[in-house]
């Protein structure tokens, strides 16, 4: 009779929103109370009725998708009831999968609820699930998400790691390496849990190799690339020794491959380019960043996504790094200049982009682009004209920012040293005189460079 009643509940609440509208909160309250009371009667009698728990968990899982129903479940002791029910039925995959789903939804974005789940031994039950169901991808995926939900601060993350959470997630990912859903949820969980746990635990789990293997196996899966690269980024900022550990496991190859395969995806590009910045001090990455193939790949990706402010910022950062590392007069090439110019044009109100952009342009050699032959190239002449335009716009837009003014006048000064560039500078002569005179008045330290530019133009 009890099983039949639970089955009716499970089927009735297939759409909890509609049921709430039809039956009202009072009926929901009674149903949740009956379900939880039934769980405890079974547990207290130490009777094994897995079907009752399966149906009861299915009911709570469906109700937990609605905000108002979640409060009812918690108020009737649902957190403890679910955890205890899961511990009593550890071998039942259906119960464990639904139980993880319920607890994750109850935790939601509510810190108090998450702490209640931890206090009810939620971490312990998730750890037991990963041990008992090591080959069931659907169960593990729910357990990973639920465990990740509880990693709310450094204390909780270290507690999860010390209980074996990081090790078990890494082992499961290693065993089920081809399962896309499990890899995605595993990487997302590690991204939340592993950011500040003890490095010894990370080393023991061989997390670096696991992440890189996942990225390599699922090179075309954008979600996995995004999660994996975000995790690598979090790891890369931990300490001095971390970049070398990541490099030794082949992450550079996977990062460049991610940029190549997901050129139009900002969510993949952002962590990929950020990783390249963090690894740029390593010898291997430093060499890669000045190779023409890599330079062209990165500048092309930035240009395609330049309207995205986050990509514009991280893109200018990586171009700045590449510019500093290059010993060639060509620096970032025409494509790099173009990417910076368009970033500055589109994000004219972003002081950060303007500052970075002027810095890059100040260290690039415009002479390598503006030769006598380049003057006949309409596209190249146009982009160099735009370069002068964005420099002046940055100076006008942020007149009180010394760094913007200094880098901008440095770029103009560099251009003015080569005869081929004078024709470009003269296209903005009137505006340049106004802007540079204002800069000299505000920043005396910029006067010499400003005068150099103005004198060249007057002489012509």
């Amino acid at each position: 009779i009890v099983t039949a009643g639970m089955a009716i509940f499970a089927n009735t609440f297939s759409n909890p929103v509609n049921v709430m509208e039809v039956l009202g909160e009072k009926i929901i309250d009674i149903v949740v109370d009956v379900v939880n009371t039934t769980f405890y009667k079974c547990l207290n009698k130490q009777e094994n009725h897995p079907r009752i728990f399966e149906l009861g968990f299915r009911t709570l899982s469906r109700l937990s998708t609605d905000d108002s129903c979640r409060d009812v479940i918690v108020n009737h002791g649902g957190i403890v009831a679910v955890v205890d029910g899961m511990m009593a039925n550890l071998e039942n995959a259906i119960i464990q999968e639904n139980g993880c789903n319920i607890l994750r939804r109850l935790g939601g974005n509510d810190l108090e609820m998450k702490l209640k789940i931890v206090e009810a031994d939620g971490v312990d039950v998730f750890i037991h699930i990963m041990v008992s169901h090591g080959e069931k991808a659907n169960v593990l995926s729910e357990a990973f998400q639920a465990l990740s939900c509880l990693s709310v601060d450094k204390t909780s993350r270290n507690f999860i790691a010390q209980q074996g959470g990081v090790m078990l997630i890494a082992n499961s990912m290693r065993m089920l390496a081809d399962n896309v859903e499990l890899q995605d949820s595993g990487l997302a969980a590690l991204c939340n849990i592993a950011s500040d746990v003890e490095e010894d635990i990370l080393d023991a789990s061989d997390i670096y190799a696991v992440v890189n293997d996942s990225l390599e196996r699922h090179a075309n899966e954008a979600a996995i690339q995004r999660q994996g690269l975000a995790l690598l980024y979090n790891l890369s900022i931990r300490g001095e020794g971390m970049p070398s550990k990541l490099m030794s496991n082949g992450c550079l190859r996977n990062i460049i491959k991610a940029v190549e395969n997901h050129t139009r995806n900002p969510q993949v590009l952002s962590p990929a380019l950020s990783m390249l910045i963090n690894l740029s001090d390593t010898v291997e990455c430093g060499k890669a960043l000045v190779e023409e193939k890599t330079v062209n790949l990165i500048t092309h990706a930035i240009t395609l996504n330049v309207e995205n402010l986050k990509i514009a910022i991280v893109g200018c950062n990586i171009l700045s790094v590449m510019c500093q590392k290059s010993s060639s007069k060509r620096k970032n090439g025409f494509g790099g200049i173009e990417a910076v110019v368009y970033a500055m044009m589109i994000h004219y109100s972003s002081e950060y982009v303007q500052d970075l952009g002027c810095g890059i342009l100040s260290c690039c050699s415009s002479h390598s682009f503006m030769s006598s032959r380049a003057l006949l190239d309409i596209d190249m002449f146009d982009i160099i004209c735009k370069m002068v335009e964005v420099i002046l716009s940055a100076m006008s837009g942020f007149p009180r920012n010394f760094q913007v003014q200094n880098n901008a006048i440095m770029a103009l000064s560099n251009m003015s040293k080569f005869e081929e560039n004078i024709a470009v500078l003269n296209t903005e002569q009137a505006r340049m005189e106004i802007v540079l005179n204002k800069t000299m008045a505000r920043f005396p330290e910029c006067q010499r460079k400003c005068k150099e530019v103005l004198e060249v133009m007057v002489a012509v």
Side-chain angles (χ1 to χ4, degrees), residues 284-298:
E284 188 181 351
C285 186
K287 287 181 179 178
L289 289 177
V290 296
E291 292 175 358
E292 186 173 357
K293 182 180 178 182
T294 309
V295 171
N296 290 340
L297 175 65
I298 291 173

Side-chain angles (χ1 to χ4, degrees), residues 372-385:
S372 56
R373 191 175 68 177
L375 290 169
L376 301 176
D377 187 328
I378 296 175
D379 291 336
M380 190 172 288
F381 184 83
D382 182 58
I383 199 66
I384 301 302
C385 285

Side-chain angles (χ1 to χ4, degrees), residues 136-372:
K136 296 184 178 70
N138 55 332
V139 178
L140 290 171
S141 184
E142 286 289 349
F144 293 167
Q145 293 177 68
L147 197 60
S148 174
C149 176
L150 301 184
S151 59
V152 294
D153 55 21
K154 186 174 181 178
T155 301
S156 62
R157 287 190 286 272
N158 275 289
F159 175 69
I160 291 169
Q162 287 161 6
Q163 296 301 305
V166 173
M167 180 74 76
L168 287 167
I169 293 173
N171 287 343
S172 297
M173 290 178 66
R174 197 178 290 110
M175 287 180 62
L176 299 169
D178 292 324
N179 189 289
V180 174
E181 183 182 358
L182 180 128
Q183 295 295 311
D184 185 20
S185 58
L187 290 169
L190 288 174
C191 199
N192 285 339
I193 298 167
S195 58
D196 52 11
V197 303
E198 294 175 12
E199 203 164 310
D200 290 345
I201 294 176
L202 299 181
D203 293 344
S205 69
D206 200 16
I207 186 176
Y208 322 111
V210 170
V211 176
N212 279 300
D213 181 62
S214 184
L215 290 171
E216 189 170 357
R217 284 175 182 268
H218 304 282
N220 294 319
E221 293 289 340
I224 289 179
Q225 296 299 308
R226 177 174 58 84
Q227 296 287 9
L229 291 167
L231 173 55
L232 289 179
Y233 175 79
N234 288 346
L235 294 174
S236 72
I237 60 178
R238 286 178 56 102
E240 291 182 6
M242 190 58 73
S244 60
K245 288 181 181 179
L246 297 176
M247 291 294 289
S248 64
N249 282 279
C251 75
L252 181 60
R253 180 181 64 255
N254 289 323
I255 294 168
I256 293 175
K257 191 71 176 175
V259 176
E260 187 178 334
N261 288 351
H262 303 277
T263 312
R264 296 179 180 273
N265 190 325
Q267 291 185 317
V268 174
L269 285 177
S270 180
L273 297 179
S274 297
M275 273 297 297
L276 290 175
I277 295 169
N278 287 352
L279 298 175
S280 62
D281 286 336
T282 64
V283 176
E284 188 181 351
C285 186
K287 287 181 179 178
L289 289 177
V290 296
E291 292 175 358
E292 186 173 357
K293 182 180 178 182
T294 309
V295 171
N296 290 340
L297 175 65
I298 291 173
T299 54
H300 178 60
I302 295 169
T303 304
L304 286 176
N305 299 273
V306 73
E307 293 186 8
N308 183 296
L309 178 58
K310 194 171 184 179
I311 294 298
I313 290 173
V314 77
C316 285
N317 269 304
I318 188 64
L319 289 173
S320 178
V321 170
M322 291 160 66
C323 188
Q324 293 165 23
K325 290 194 171 292
S326 175
S327 59
S328 167
K329 290 182 179 179
R330 191 170 183 269
K331 296 293 182 181
N332 291 324
F334 183 70
I337 295 291
E338 191 175 22
V340 173
V341 167
Y342 284 128
M344 293 176 71
M345 287 177 65
I346 293 168
H347 304 286
Y348 58 88
S349 62
S350 169
E351 188 169 4
Y352 192 75
V353 171
Q354 300 304 310
D355 186 8
L356 277 173
C358 286
I360 295 167
L361 296 178
S362 71
C363 77
C364 288
S365 172
S366 300
H367 180 259
S368 56
F369 304 115
M370 290 309 301
S371 62
S372 56

Side-chain angles (χ1 to χ4, degrees), residues 1-152:
I1 292 174
V2 173
T3 303
M6 287 290 195
I8 292 171
F9 287 161
N11 291 328
T12 301
F13 293 100
S14 59
N15 190 327
V17 177
N18 289 346
V19 171
M20 179 70 94
E21 291 175 355
V22 174
L23 299 180
E25 191 174 336
K26 255 185 189 177
I27 299 298
I28 300 292
D29 193 81
I30 293 170
V31 169
V32 172
D33 183 43
V34 170
V35 170
N36 287 344
T37 302
T38 303
F39 287 162
Y40 279 114
K41 284 183 178 179
C42 291
L43 293 170
N44 290 336
K45 292 180 180 180
Q46 297 184 339
E47 295 177 354
N48 186 20
H49 296 290
R51 186 60 180 159
I52 289 176
F53 282 96
E54 285 179 14
L55 294 167
F57 273 36
R58 190 188 302 170
T59 301
L60 294 181
S61 179
R62 288 170 174 172
L63 288 172
S64 66
T65 60
D66 183 78
D67 290 342
S68 55
C69 293
R70 280 198 290 271
D71 293 335
V72 175
I73 294 171
V74 173
N75 292 337
H76 280 284
I79 290 175
V80 176
V82 171
V83 170
D84 288 350
M86 292 171 73
M87 289 298 287
N89 296 273
L90 279 174
E91 301 303 319
N92 189 304
I94 296 173
I95 291 174
Q96 301 308 315
E97 185 176 355
N98 278 324
C100 288
N101 184 276
I102 295 166
L103 293 174
R104 175 170 59 84
R105 291 183 185 280
L106 294 181
N109 295 316
D110 191 324
L111 179 59
E112 184 182 351
M113 292 301 169
K114 292 178 181 182
L115 293 175
K116 284 182 179 180
I117 295 171
V118 173
E119 290 169 3
D121 295 329
V123 173
D124 289 343
V125 77
F126 299 145
I127 295 295
H128 278 97
I129 290 170
M130 288 190 283
V131 173
S132 302
H133 299 276
E135 295 181 358
K136 296 184 178 70
N138 55 332
V139 178
L140 290 171
S141 184
E142 286 289 349
F144 293 167
Q145 293 177 68
L147 197 60
S148 174
C149 176
L150 301 184
S151 59
V152 294

